[in-house]
Structure formats: C-alpha cells, structure tokens
C-alpha cells in the first residue's frame, strides 16, 4: 500500500485544459475503428500530460488516506472475486482535489464523444462516476465482469511488471445476463485479448459489452487505477440495476 502522501495543490497548469476542446476538427477515423472492433483503445496520445499527472496525484492522495479493503464474490457475474482495496465515489467527491472536476469536464466528455460518435454524460447513478481500485497483494484480482454503463476511461497510476500479473483481459462483443451470466461459457467460446500497461497509460473501454478482468497478481506489488465511467446522453432515463456495487460505504 501507499504511505501517507500530501497533494501539491500549487502545481500550475497554465490555461485551464479542462475547459478546452482541442478535439474539434480532428480526424478520429482510426480510433473509432479500433474501438468499435476491440472494445478497447489506448488513448495516451490524446490525453494532456498535465491532466494525467494531476489525476495521478489525486489518486495517490485519496488512496493513502481513504482506502478500504474488500474481499468478496459477486453473484451477478458468476461469483467472480474482488480482492482489492478501493476508494469509493463519495470519498473522491468529498475529498478529491481534481478528479471530480476533471470527470465533468468538457475536455474529457468531448474526447469520448468523438471516439464513440455520440454524446456522453456523467452516469446518472453517482456511485458509478468514479472509483479508485488497488490490487497490492499476491492473489489480488478484479474478477470477470461487465460494466453497468458503456464508456469507461481507466487511468493507470501504478502498474506491476509483466511477470507479476495484473494483465487486463477482455472478451469484446459479449452481453451480460445478470440472472445467468455464463461467464465460463463465454470464455470457452471466445478469444481472450490481453493487454499490458505501464504507469501513466490511459485507455477507453466499452465496458457494458466487454467481459473483462484484471488477472491475479503473482507477487506483492501494486496495480493502482482510477475508473471513470459515462452514460450515453440518449439513455439518461433508462433503468439500471447495480448488483456489483456492494461496497458503497
């Protein structure tokens, strides 16, 4: 786990990147194609380094001061495990110095919208706006699951070496039947895509139709991420159940 750290609020960013929209007029053809094909897209080249670094600072501060350990199984994803520590939405909202503003920014929502080719909004159910997850013990994992909402940006703050586990594994273009998820059937019948990440990587995931997990760590090392999630604007009034969120305290 991280030692207690302090957040350096004085780091300047110059003009407010979060209020800008540098993506208007840019050709997103290949990003759109790859995301539609894979349900996954690394977007390092589209994220301002100052935004990435400020988010990383905020994650480290919040994790050091507000994390809680979780060890349980999720019935609606076939009793897949969650062995990790996290900081839930409310703690980030109340104590975050940068993440809550970045999440609602024109900058990030415009970026997502250009790639997915539709307008996005913050998730109507606030608990799914953002969450910090940390695997830090051998065997820690975020087991197979889907997201309740479609579009998720994952910010990799710390990442283990390749041989230490923690790979992202994905099965795109799959659907979640919450009453009968049949995860093992889907794994047998589909190719699993594996992705290795370094600290500082950022990726976009089609979370509601991509079955995915973080492979168990094989060493006592840290994998720390911020998960930020958005809804389609056209689906703002749809009913969504939230069976996987059993850690809202």
């Amino acid at each position: 786990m991280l030692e207690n750290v302090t957040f350096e609020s004085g780091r300047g960013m110059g003009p407010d990147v979060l209020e800008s929209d540098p993506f208007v007029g840019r050709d997103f053809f290949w990003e759109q194609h790859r995301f539609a094909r894979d349900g996954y897209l690394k977007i390092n080249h589209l994220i301002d380094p100052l935004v990435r670094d400020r988010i990383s600072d905020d994650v480290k501060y919040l994790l050091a001061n507000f994390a809680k350990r979780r060890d349980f199984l999720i019935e609606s994803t076939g009793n897949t495990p969650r062995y990790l520590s996290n900081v839930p939405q409310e703690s980030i909202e109340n104590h975050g110095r940068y993440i809550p503003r970045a999440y609602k920014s024109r900058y990030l929502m415009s970026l997502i919208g250009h790639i997915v080719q539709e307008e996005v909004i913050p998730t109507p159910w606030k608990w799914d706006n953002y969450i910090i997850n940390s695997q830090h013990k051998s065997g820690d994992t975020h087991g197979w699951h889907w997201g309740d909402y479609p579009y998720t940006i994952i910010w990799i703050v710390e990442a283990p070496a390749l041989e230490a586990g923690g790979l992202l594994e994905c099965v795109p273009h799959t659907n979640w039947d919450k009453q009968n998820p049949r995860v093992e059937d889907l794994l047998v019948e589909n190719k699993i895509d594996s992705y290795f990440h370094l600290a500082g990587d950022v990726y976009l995931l089609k979370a509601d139709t991509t079955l995915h997990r973080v492979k168990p760590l094989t060493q006592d090392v840290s994998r720390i991420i911020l998960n930020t999630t958005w809804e389609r604007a056209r689906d703002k009034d749809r009913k969504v159940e939230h069976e996987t969120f059993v850690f809202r305290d």
Side-chain angles (χ1 to χ4, degrees):
M1 288 293 294
L2 292 166
E3 299 296 328
N4 281 355
V5 297
T6 58
F7 183 87
E8 306 220 3
S9 58
R11 291 178 61 185
M13 291 188 66
D16 192 345
V17 177
L18 297 180
E19 297 303 320
S20 69
D21 189 351
F23 309 111
V24 173
R26 187 189 188 282
D27 182 5
F28 280 88
F29 175 80
W30 287 114
E31 287 89 353
Q32 292 165 354
H33 169 74
R34 290 167 183 149
F35 185 67
R37 179 191 64 197
D38 300 329
Y40 167 95
L41 180 71
K42 191 178 288 188
I43 57 173
N44 296 9
H45 62 297
L46 298 170
I47 297 293
D48 190 296
L50 291 171
V51 173
R52 180 201 62 207
D53 292 348
R54 288 294 295 273
I55 283 177
S56 179
D57 287 345
D58 215 5
V59 168
K60 291 175 182 178
Y61 163 75
L62 290 161
L63 189 62
N65 291 281
F66 303 101
K68 293 187 178 182
R69 179 69 192 181
R70 320 288 184 172
D71 292 277
F72 48 78
L73 305 178
I74 300 293
E75 182 179 358
S76 63
T77 55
N79 290 310
T80 54
R82 308 292 186 272
Y83 303 145
L84 47 81
S85 297
N86 67 23
V87 181
Q89 186 275 344
E90 190 169 51
S91 294
I92 301 172
E93 182 180 45
N94 291 338
H95 303 288
R97 316 290 180 85
Y98 188 73
I99 293 168
R101 191 165 68 89
Y103 173 73
K104 294 182 178 179
S105 69
R106 178 186 182 192
Y107 178 85
L108 288 182
M109 287 194 282
S110 174
L111 170 58
I112 298 165
H114 278 87
I115 296 170
V116 305
Q117 302 180 78
E118 62 178 332
E119 183 183 357
V120 301
I121 58 172
T123 59
W125 196 66
K126 74 170 189 175
W127 290 99
D128 226 337
N129 291 169
Y130 32 72
I131 190 168
I132 296 165
N133 289 330
S134 170
Q135 290 93 39
H136 49 92
K137 300 191 299 184
S138 181
D140 276 5
T141 183
H142 192 160
W144 290 108
H145 64 287
W146 293 265
D148 288 316
Y149 295 100
Y151 302 122
T152 294
I153 290 181
I154 301 292
W155 311 75
I156 307 290
V157 175
E158 289 191 21
L162 180 61
E163 63 271 16
L167 288 179
L168 172 70
E169 294 188 321
C170 295
V171 182
H173 307 294
T174 52
N175 295 309
W176 183 11
D177 180 342
K178 295 185 178 184
Q179 281 67 52
N180 186 23
R182 300 182 67 171
V183 169
E184 299 299 330
D185 289 328
L186 291 169
L187 296 178
V188 167
E189 290 296 323
N190 291 278
K191 179 174 73 73
I192 300 173
D193 299 325
S194 297
Y195 300 100
F196 172 66
H197 296 103
L198 299 171
D201 281 347
V202 186
Y203 64 87
L204 178 66
L205 187 70
K206 183 63 166 58
D208 63 336
T209 58
T210 302
L211 176 62
H212 56 285
R213 75 162 181 170
V214 177
K215 287 189 70 174
L217 295 178
T218 59
Q219 301 175 24
D220 291 343
V221 294
S222 291
R223 184 185 191 273
I224 299 171
I225 64 101
L226 170 69
N227 178 313
T228 47
T229 299
W230 289 264
E231 171 67 294
R232 302 177 186 88
R234 59 185 167 89
D235 287 338
K236 64 182 179 63
D237 296 321
R238 72 184 176 105
K239 182 179 179 182
V240 179
E241 302 295 338
H242 307 284
E243 296 89 344
T244 64
F245 268 81
V246 298
F247 40 81
R248 299 196 291 271
D249 60 322

